[in-house]
Amino acid sequence: MSRWARHTRLSEPGRHRWLLQELDPLDVAGLCATARNVIGHYRAELPDLPEHRRDEVDSRWLEVILERDQARHRGRPLGERREPSTRVAGCCRDHALFVVGGLREHGIPARTRIGFADYLVAGHAVDHVVAEYWDGDRWRRVDPEAPGSGFDATDIPHGPDAPFRTAAQVWHRLRNGDLPEPHRYCVTPGSTMSGPSLIRTYVIYEVAHRCGDELLLWDEWGVTAGSGEVDLIDTLAALLIRADDGDDVAERELARLYAGDHRIRPGHTVIQHSPYGRASRRIDLGRRVPGHPAR
């Protein structure tokens, strides 16, 4: 459990640690509200983002997100209201990473989870990232973007019919022939990024996030861009489901596979694509500087 109470290279707040230390980790709803105050969703809230600000969606590291916030709101607490146009552009992954970073800063085990939510776009289950923290007895799932969604967004129900289902759960249903409309699982309705290929890739993303690499949803490495390795995806999904059920053997096996298999672990670099259609770039995950054009 202690490994999820420590910062990863992506949740580490660096010199802005004091901003997270000011937050109340016991007020999870307040922490979620603060995440929404600092970060605006690039599609839902900032659809007309000017060209010169579009690289904000690639901030990646929590330290960079906080740096960009403080460049506009120098010295102001994170809970002090920001005008929507001044918020750092990001997405569900960034809201979840913010919450996870705030909890970890106070020694609370927390992690991001990747899957699909059926409460954001009617008739579809869109790709989504939520936070999860250990309350001393169990893991509680939290969606910073879903207040007023008809359920407790600070304690999302689990299970096969839950409003949020992990990528592993969805893949398992797909492979069992129990997913009658896989095209409903998508990035946005009508997108080519949907169905079995998207679900498959998101199982890899889910493993990476669980193992401490909370990467962007448009990053590419190893087998994320392919359509094969079905046996590998089956194995990973089964281990994720067993680990969620409290199987420590599955948890250790998942960590072992991730540490040793270059197909699923990103290593030092990833290829970063762009939701805006910009040129792909090779990103050094340890440098916190703009990347180089991908070759």
Side-chain angles (χ1 to χ4, degrees), residues 1-138:
M1 195 64 66
S2 62
R3 67 184 173 118
W4 288 304
R6 297 189 297 268
H7 282 298
T8 64
R9 56 184 171 181
L10 292 160
S11 74
E12 169 59 51
R15 69 191 187 92
H16 298 295
R17 186 179 311 279
W18 66 276
L19 290 165
L20 298 184
Q21 290 173 345
E22 289 186 335
L23 303 177
D24 180 0
L26 300 181
D27 180 10
V28 177
L31 191 57
C32 290
T34 303
R36 296 192 301 273
N37 185 52
V38 173
I39 301 162
H41 197 286
Y42 76 100
R43 286 199 312 264
E45 299 172 287
L46 299 169
D48 300 318
L49 201 66
E51 178 70 26
H52 72 274
R53 286 190 55 194
R54 290 185 173 182
D55 62 343
E56 289 179 21
V57 302
D58 303 320
S59 295
R60 186 178 299 276
W61 298 275
L62 182 55
E63 182 179 9
V64 173
I65 293 173
L66 295 173
E67 178 68 31
R68 282 180 155 148
D69 171 81
Q70 288 297 288
R72 296 173 190 147
H73 308 284
R74 184 67 62 189
R76 291 171 57 188
L78 298 176
E80 186 174 321
R81 187 179 185 279
R82 276 78 164 127
E83 290 297 323
S85 63
T86 69
R87 293 169 186 164
V88 181
C91 68
C92 56
R93 176 266 181 192
D94 305 300
H95 284 129
L97 184 68
F98 182 99
V99 171
V100 165
L103 292 166
R104 286 175 178 166
E105 185 60 31
H106 292 85
I108 297 172
R111 59 197 185 192
T112 49
R113 300 303 305 270
I114 290 186
F116 298 88
D118 63 11
Y119 49 86
L120 297 174
V121 178
H124 293 81
V126 297
D127 68 322
H128 202 40
V129 185
V130 300
E132 193 171 67
Y133 74 98
W134 183 256
D135 71 355
D137 295 311
R138 63 183 177 91

Side-chain angles (χ1 to χ4, degrees), residues 86-261:
T86 69
R87 293 169 186 164
V88 181
C91 68
C92 56
R93 176 266 181 192
D94 305 300
H95 284 129
L97 184 68
F98 182 99
V99 171
V100 165
L103 292 166
R104 286 175 178 166
E105 185 60 31
H106 292 85
I108 297 172
R111 59 197 185 192
T112 49
R113 300 303 305 270
I114 290 186
F116 298 88
D118 63 11
Y119 49 86
L120 297 174
V121 178
H124 293 81
V126 297
D127 68 322
H128 202 40
V129 185
V130 300
E132 193 171 67
Y133 74 98
W134 183 256
D135 71 355
D137 295 311
R138 63 183 177 91
W139 287 100
R140 287 180 179 256
R141 234 165 246 174
V142 179
D143 187 349
E145 294 185 353
S149 54
F151 55 86
D152 184 354
T154 66
D155 192 6
I156 304 172
H158 290 219
D161 298 317
F164 172 87
R165 292 176 293 281
T166 68
Q169 288 175 315
V170 176
W171 177 262
H172 181 70
R173 289 183 59 183
L174 175 70
R175 295 286 284 156
N176 284 346
D178 188 30
L179 202 69
E181 297 179 284
H183 64 276
R184 291 198 315 109
Y185 293 79
C186 59
V187 173
T188 56
S191 170
T192 58
M193 292 182 288
S194 63
S197 62
L198 179 70
I199 299 165
R200 170 204 174 278
T201 297
Y202 274 44
V203 173
I204 301 291
Y205 284 173
E206 187 186 351
V207 173
H209 276 233
R210 192 185 191 95
C211 292
D213 284 318
E214 301 100 340
L215 298 171
L216 302 182
L217 301 183
W218 39 88
D219 283 338
E220 176 188 330
W221 72 92
V223 298
T224 57
S227 58
E229 304 283 357
V230 171
D231 289 344
L232 173 63
I233 307 302
D234 284 346
T235 296
L236 295 173
L239 288 171
L240 283 163
I241 291 169
R242 285 171 50 199
D244 277 349
D245 287 339
D247 187 332
D248 290 338
V249 173
E251 194 78 72
R252 290 193 295 271
E253 178 63 10
L254 194 62
R256 185 192 69 78
L257 284 175
Y258 189 73
D261 194 330

